[in-house]
Amino acid sequence: MMKTFCGRANLATGLLDWVEESEEYDYHQEIARSCYADMLHDHDRNEKYYRGIRAAVARVKARGEKVIVLDIGTGTGLLSMMALSAGADFCYAVEVFKPMADAAQCIVEKNGFASKIKIINKHSTDVTVGPGGDMEMKANILITELFDTELIGEGALPSYEHAHQNLVQVGCEAVPHRATVYAQVVESELLWNWTRLQPVMEEEVQLVPPPSIGCCTGAHTVCDIQLSQVSPCSFTPLGPLLTMFSVDFSKPVSSAFQSHSSQFVAQSTGRAQVVLSWWDLDMDPSGTIVCTMAPSWTYSHSRTAPWRDHWMQSIYFLPVERRVTEGEELSLTVCHDDYSLWFSLQTPTPQHTQIEVPSRPCCTCQAHLVWTHPRFGELNDRLCTRSYISALRSVLRDDSVCLGVSDGSLLPVFASLLGAKKVFSLENSRMSKQLIQQVLKANSLEGRVELLEIRPEQLRSSDLGEPISVLMGEPYFTTSLLPWHSLFFWYCRTALAGLLRPNATVLPCSATLHMVAVEFQDLWRIRALCGTCEGFDITAMDEMVQRSLDFRESREAEPHPLWEYPCRALTRSTSIMTFDFTQCVPQQPIVSMGSLPFTRDGLCHGVAMWMEYNLTEDVSIGTGLIGPISEQGDCTWSRHRKQGVYFFKSPWSSPGDGNAAVSYSFTFEPSLGDIKMEFSVDLL
């Protein structure tokens, strides 16, 4: 059997190791981590598609035509089976991902549609029509599910363009019939902090961001998000919700560059910073069957909003912050190529004057290439910054020689401003080093911090001149996926042991791994089995998921930003393991076993895990729960880091009377730099 190599985080090196796997590995991971379960559980989406398909089939039949359907991106074959049930004569179902195409073949056979649905395992742009081709004739109904959070990010426009030119009849019906993109300009300190470095003003630590960051348009990447979890109190709308543009999928579609502008009058005075955006799908020409991505706070009753993770909402950061005045006339422009969108805000130009088309954003400051949106938020978190400054202030002396070990961290800059004698910082990349150099230059600190583009194990005493008295880190590393991957700091500390003074301070001095058993409001859907969907047997899909769950990686924790996914705690939170950074990484494994009694009724979907760092004995930084769990079990999570989630194969019913508990076993294996975990439910 052929082998393939897959990247896995290695705590011992801070790098990705290439691990040999079987040739089926990618297939299993695609299935285990895909959004198929989420989509199949999205009843609103399924029901709107079904109604749109029935209406399209009826219109074609009313013209006296034979109904031939082309389903691009068929997945499980669900939409093709809907079309056959609605009276279609034949379906060509295109699926490029072979394991999924194989599952679709099995599913259509189980449901008795094998003779009327042809599964084509190709990209739609490779499909041929005619004698000896994949399709005998062109279709008169085009069904697709090619969309992502940004609508066009998965190549929907080129696929539609090719289909209209080669695969469907002129004047065909399309489901969905139309997509419409909406946008709203807002002021939001919370969201703006995700893309711009803000000044630090903390007593003796006064830090300004480099001008290059302030004038940078940012990276050309969308910030997709569960906008329903961003409270309307966190932003101020400066204008109405605008209709930016629509795409009619029943007509020829172009993937060429286009721009669209929408004029409006500012509703309030403020700083235009962010564009909130989402889209609707009209499943029929009249627009009576609408599937909307609007966040829950746009509904009269937020609980009636459908939940989905495969389609969310988007946040776009304007190239520059702009002051607007109530009553001011403005024009919001959106541009798109074949895969992405970008926005700009302008003053309307006089008639007969060409409107300036904004160029695609491109990061010139390197900050948006080094720091992610959550990382910007963490750097701008005043409480977090105060904690680090307070901890540093308590350990620094006039003769302190400091070494920082993090990726693109401001701690070495803080240490210098707090009066350390010498400050060094290890940077893992050239871009990260150049970025911190910009920060130092902007604050006239050049020469005060020496940046070393070198790995910890390569550092020599001659590089420093004298022993290190303070080793510090946030810790934050760009290669970290799960919370405990930041234990790479511990391995760095161990590699640097020979360069530390005997009484050297290590900050943070320790870390603890925490866990709580939870009931998810909606996130459970991404791993849930389906059995049947809208009346069709799709157990073949469940069988694929089950086989995927038998693979190693799907039995491990996954990183998720839990502030976007509400959950209830069914147990108390507890500390599982403690890692003492004042000592080197031990040779022997660290094992922790125990149980957490259920304290609340509910359906336990899994366990949430996070790290807390003790900077000093008195100052701590958390990356998980913020504040206590409410009486009802509601949890508030940090927005800056992803937490680890271990999904159980099937949910457990929690009695909440203390007579049952989640038993756990954790093993930290130093030689592998990884944590293995097992869970079960026991009666007490």
Side-chain angles (χ1 to χ4, degrees):
M1 181 178 290
M2 293 179 61
K3 296 290 183 179
T4 187
F5 291 87
C6 302
R8 292 174 61 83
N10 186 321
L11 272 66
T13 64
L15 302 174
L16 287 178
D17 281 349
W18 293 101
V19 181
E20 188 178 65
E21 301 285 359
S22 75
E23 63 179 356
E24 295 180 318
Y25 177 83
D26 285 344
Y27 140 62
H28 283 285
Q29 292 314 299
E30 286 290 337
I31 298 300
R33 302 197 182 282
S34 70
C35 289
Y36 286 113
D38 172 26
M39 290 187 287
L40 295 171
H41 281 285
D42 188 347
H43 177 73
D44 178 75
R45 160 196 176 271
N46 299 339
E47 188 261 341
K48 300 292 175 56
Y49 261 101
Y50 208 172
R51 288 172 58 193
I53 290 169
R54 287 200 306 265
V57 170
R59 290 193 298 272
V60 173
K61 282 185 171 292
R63 298 197 295 262
E65 300 176 20
K66 187 177 181 180
V67 180
I68 306 299
V69 174
L70 172 62
D71 176 9
I72 300 179
T74 192
T76 60
L78 177 64
L79 302 184
S80 290
M81 293 188 295
M82 287 181 177
L84 266 294
S85 296
D89 294 288
F90 197 83
C91 290
Y92 294 102
V94 181
E95 175 57 52
V96 68
F97 182 41
K98 188 178 187 308
M100 201 68 244
D102 293 341
Q105 184 65 54
C106 182
I107 289 169
V108 300
E109 289 175 0
K110 278 191 172 185
N111 287 275
F113 294 119
S115 63
K116 290 190 175 183
I117 297 178
K118 180 181 180 181
I119 305 296
I120 303 173
N121 180 210
K122 287 185 176 181
H123 194 283
S124 65
T125 56
D126 295 325
V127 172
T128 57
V129 180
D134 301 302
M135 300 171 58
E136 293 183 7
M137 64 189 76
K138 291 186 176 181
N140 51 18
I141 294 183
L142 174 59
I143 300 174
T144 61
E145 209 283 49
L146 300 171
F147 315 111
D148 69 347
T149 292
E150 204 173 12
L151 181 67
I152 64 173
E154 292 185 357
L157 294 182
S159 295
Y160 272 112
E161 186 174 45
H162 176 270
H164 276 286
Q165 291 172 354
N166 301 278
L167 306 178
V168 297
Q169 301 173 17
V170 175
C172 73
E173 300 287 343
V175 183
H177 178 82
R178 181 191 305 109
T180 303
V181 174
Y182 302 93
Q184 185 172 40
V185 179
V186 304
E187 174 184 354
S188 174
E189 180 181 0
L190 170 68
L191 301 180
W192 191 243
N193 280 346
W194 291 355
T195 193
R196 292 292 186 274
L197 186 63
Q198 303 300 325
V200 176
M201 301 294 171
E202 297 291 336
E203 298 181 9
E204 64 266 55
V205 177
Q206 308 284 315
L207 196 69
V208 297
S212 59
I213 297 181
C215 65
C216 180
T217 59
H220 184 219
T221 55
V222 64
C223 178
D224 56 343
I225 193 174
Q226 289 285 357
L227 198 53
S228 296
Q229 300 307 315
V230 177
S231 169
C233 298
S234 301
F235 59 86
T236 302
L238 301 181
L241 183 65
L242 304 171
T243 300
M244 297 308 301
F245 68 94
S246 294
V247 182
D248 186 338
F249 297 125
S250 69
K251 299 177 180 178
V253 172
S254 173
S255 61
F257 169 88
Q258 294 184 35
S259 66
H260 310 268
S261 296
S262 185
Q263 295 188 12
F264 67 100
V265 175
Q267 295 177 336
S268 58
T269 298
R271 297 169 296 161
Q273 299 169 323
V274 180
V275 175
L276 311 182
S277 181
W278 58 86
W279 44 268
D280 288 348
L281 293 176
D282 290 331
M283 295 299 182
D284 64 326
S286 65
T288 57
I289 308 171
V290 182
C291 185
T292 179
M293 305 308 121
S296 62
W297 36 258
T298 65
Y299 286 69
S300 300
H301 302 285
S302 61
R303 290 185 178 274
T304 64
W307 182 88
R308 33 188 155 242
D309 203 46
H310 54 105
W311 295 332
M312 293 187 281
Q313 297 78 37
S314 301
I315 292 175
Y316 298 89
F317 302 99
L318 289 171
V320 293
E321 181 182 65
R322 171 175 176 161
R323 186 76 180 176
V324 301
T325 306
E326 183 179 357
E328 182 180 355
E329 293 187 358
L330 298 165
S331 178
L332 183 65
T333 298
V334 61
C335 300
H336 73 79
D337 51 21
D338 49 350
Y339 282 93
S340 56
L341 311 179
W342 61 95
F343 289 83
S344 69
L345 187 65
Q346 303 168 325
T347 300
T349 57
Q351 288 185 343
H352 310 301
T353 301
Q354 186 176 1
I355 296 177
E356 179 184 356
V357 177
S359 58
R360 182 203 301 265
C362 179
C363 177
T364 56
C365 70
Q366 300 191 84
H368 302 92
L369 305 178
V370 172
W371 294 329
T372 63
H373 295 308
R375 179 59 173 160
F376 267 106
E378 186 172 36
L379 292 169
N380 290 323
D381 188 317
R382 295 185 182 92
L383 291 177
C384 189
T385 297
R386 287 170 188 164
S387 295
Y388 281 116
I389 291 174
S390 175
L392 283 171
R393 186 185 292 117
S394 69
V395 301
L396 290 178
R397 304 291 181 265
D398 292 341
D399 63 346
S400 292
V401 177
C402 303
L403 176 63
V405 181
S406 293
D407 289 348
S409 173
L410 298 179
L411 260 62
V413 185
F414 295 161
S416 178
L417 290 171
L418 288 168
K421 176 184 175 183
K422 287 184 180 181
V423 181
F424 300 89
S425 179
L426 298 185
E427 297 297 336
N428 74 326
S429 71
R430 182 65 51 86
M431 280 197 301
S432 178
K433 178 181 178 181
Q434 292 174 345
L435 175 57
I436 301 302
Q437 284 175 333
Q438 292 182 54
V439 174
L440 294 171
K441 182 178 180 180
N443 291 275
S444 302
L445 295 173
E446 293 174 292
R448 296 270 298 273
V449 178
E450 186 173 344
L451 306 177
L452 305 172
E453 191 181 341
I454 188 173
R455 294 189 57 76
E457 65 272 14
Q458 298 171 328
L459 193 64
R460 300 291 179 263
S461 57
S462 57
D463 298 319
L464 306 175
E466 52 186 302
I468 301 164
S469 55
V470 177
L471 178 65
M472 57 191 176
E474 299 199 38
Y476 172 84
F477 302 99
T478 57
T479 54
S480 298
L481 299 176
L482 290 161
W484 46 92
H485 287 171
S486 289
L487 288 176
F488 176 55
F489 176 81
W490 200 10
Y491 287 85
C492 293
R493 178 259 183 269
T494 303
L496 296 166
L499 304 180
L500 302 180
R501 291 181 183 176
N503 59 344
T505 297
V506 179
L507 185 157
C509 59
S510 65
T512 51
L513 174 64
H514 294 251
M515 68 165 271
V516 63
V518 297
E519 174 185 50
F520 284 110
Q521 179 175 302
D522 296 297
L523 188 62
W524 61 270
R525 302 175 194 270
I526 69 173
R527 294 291 170 265
L529 303 180
C530 301
T532 60
C533 184
E534 311 306 327
F536 299 103
D537 181 352
I538 56 170
T539 52
M541 179 65 192
D542 290 343
E543 291 167 3
M544 294 177 68
V545 172
Q546 288 284 24
R547 290 199 302 271
S548 300
L549 291 172
D550 290 336
F551 262 60
R552 180 194 64 222
E553 185 136 334
S554 56
R555 293 199 302 268
E556 297 178 348
E558 306 173 12
H560 290 283
L562 291 186
W563 73 270
E564 295 186 55
Y565 304 104
C567 62
R568 289 178 59 243
L570 300 182
T571 67
R572 62 180 175 84
S573 64
T574 188
S575 171
I576 299 300
M577 283 185 172
T578 297
F579 309 95
D580 185 358
F581 296 159
T582 65
Q583 305 297 318
C584 292
V585 176
Q587 298 291 320
Q588 300 301 316
I590 301 175
V591 178
S592 176
M593 302 175 68
S595 62
L596 277 176
F598 287 113
T599 56
R600 297 178 183 88
D601 294 332
L603 206 57
C604 185
H605 297 112
V607 169
M609 293 161 285
W610 66 98
M611 298 288 286
E612 292 187 4
Y613 297 96
N614 302 308
L615 303 182
T616 63
E617 291 184 359
D618 303 318
V619 183
S620 298
I621 291 287
T623 64
L625 280 177
I626 299 175
I629 298 169
S630 76
E631 185 176 342
Q632 294 74 31
D634 297 327
C635 303
T636 303
W637 298 95
S638 168
R639 287 189 173 98
H640 306 323
R641 305 279 183 104
K642 291 182 178 180
Q643 291 73 42
V645 177
Y646 186 104
F647 288 101
F648 302 143
K649 285 188 177 182
S650 57
W652 297 333
S653 180
S654 162
D657 56 8
N659 291 325
V662 177
S663 295
Y664 59 84
S665 174
F666 286 80
T667 302
F668 172 69
E669 178 53 65
S671 62
L672 299 176
D674 205 356
I675 296 178
K676 300 298 181 183
M677 57 196 72
E678 294 181 2
F679 301 94
S680 64
V681 169
D682 298 323
L683 297 178
L684 301 180

